[in-house]
Amino acid sequence: MTLIDELHAEHDVIEQVAGALLTYAAASATVRSRDDGAAFLRFFRWYANRFHHAREEDTLFAALRDRAGLPADRGPIAAMIADHERMAELLAAFAAGLDLGADGDARLRECAIAYVHALWHHIDAENSVLFPECEPRLRRNGVTELASRPMTPDEGEALSAGQALVARYPPPPNPDVMRGDGCIMCPAFGVTCRGLELEWWNEWEWDEFEDRMNGG
Ligand SMILES: [Fe+2]
Ligand SMILES: [Fe+2]
């Protein structure tokens, strides 16, 4: 599905720019460019939020709810939407940290790390659990394609600026965070979401699973 392929590819860019943000925030305030800080903000606001997260919510998650009959008020979709909201708050905290100058160095770093780690966990959950599950579930309900849209000029500029930031602030090679695939690695697992099987599986998926376990 074109939209899912696009969203996947966008994750790769967002992930890289997030890594660059860590490198940017690690520099001391005396050498840190305020303009580059604003460019990071523009990238995450325009490209990650308004382009990427918005298409997930208004097209992909909406189709899962309306065409595949999956719940949006609990389970994986609700967890991903709550992540989008929480990340917007973390980004706002980072934006406020940019105004603190040298006195707010430690605070700015904390905000950047909190935002980037949340974003990475979110991308891992979507790449490893949500996206692979979407296509077969939509297909079974007769949905073979989902609409996408081109970037607006602001979103396109934010993307180019983001790519330039990755070149200027190479992401750390060994980021200090545990990442991984599957529900078990998702911070929402067992907190606001009981995991894919309990939230999304229907009767015949459970029957099939039991048959397999019984060697059938
Ligand atoms: Fe998302
Ligand atoms: Fe995403």
Side-chain angles (χ1 to χ4, degrees):
M1 248 177 231
T2 316
L3 177 71
I4 296 176
D5 293 343
E6 286 178 7
L7 293 170
H8 236 133
E10 290 158 23
H11 279 172
D12 292 345
V13 181
I14 294 170
E15 177 162 328
Q16 286 288 306
V17 183
L21 182 69
L22 291 183
T23 304
Y24 170 80
S28 99
T30 46
V31 295
R32 206 168 39 230
S33 151
R34 184 72 180 77
D35 288 348
D36 286 349
F40 274 110
L41 271 182
R42 266 200 311 281
F43 172 84
F44 291 112
R45 283 176 176 160
W46 284 98
Y47 187 79
N49 295 355
R50 290 180 207 185
F51 185 57
H52 179 82
H53 294 163
R55 276 158 46 260
E56 287 177 343
E57 290 191 19
D58 65 31
T59 309
L60 181 61
F61 300 170
L64 292 171
R65 180 193 62 210
D66 300 338
R67 312 282 303 273
L70 292 166
D73 56 348
R74 61 178 169 80
I77 300 175
M80 293 302 102
I81 293 173
D83 271 0
H84 289 173
E85 287 164 1
R86 183 164 161 265
M87 290 188 295
E89 285 166 17
L90 292 172
L91 188 62
F94 171 78
L98 277 176
D99 293 328
L100 296 174
D103 295 341
D105 244 11
R107 172 85 191 124
L108 184 76
R109 245 163 253 153
E110 253 170 49
C111 292
I113 290 169
Y115 177 65
V116 170
H117 288 186
L119 197 50
W120 280 347
H121 283 307
H122 181 78
I123 287 174
D124 290 344
E126 287 183 338
N127 281 350
S128 71
V129 180
L130 196 99
F131 287 2
E133 288 288 326
C134 290
E135 209 158 322
R137 282 165 199 280
L138 288 166
R139 267 183 205 285
R140 285 208 293 271
N141 288 279
V143 182
T144 53
E145 233 6 298
L146 290 171
S148 186
R149 66 166 176 82
M151 277 178 269
T152 65
D154 282 328
E155 290 160 356
E157 275 165 36
L159 169 62
S160 311
Q163 285 162 331
L165 289 167
V166 173
R168 205 165 315 142
Y169 300 96
N174 298 307
D176 185 19
V177 57
M178 270 279 276
R179 299 188 57 182
D181 293 346
C183 285
I184 200 84
M185 291 302 291
C186 175
F189 182 58
V191 183
T192 58
C193 179
R194 295 171 301 156
L196 183 82
E197 291 86 353
L198 287 175
E199 300 286 357
W200 276 12
W201 278 17
N202 58 28
E203 229 162 88
W204 64 257
E205 287 174 297
W206 280 109
D207 287 347
E208 211 175 59
F209 175 72
E210 274 159 27
D211 284 351
R212 267 205 316 272
M213 292 303 282
N214 296 330

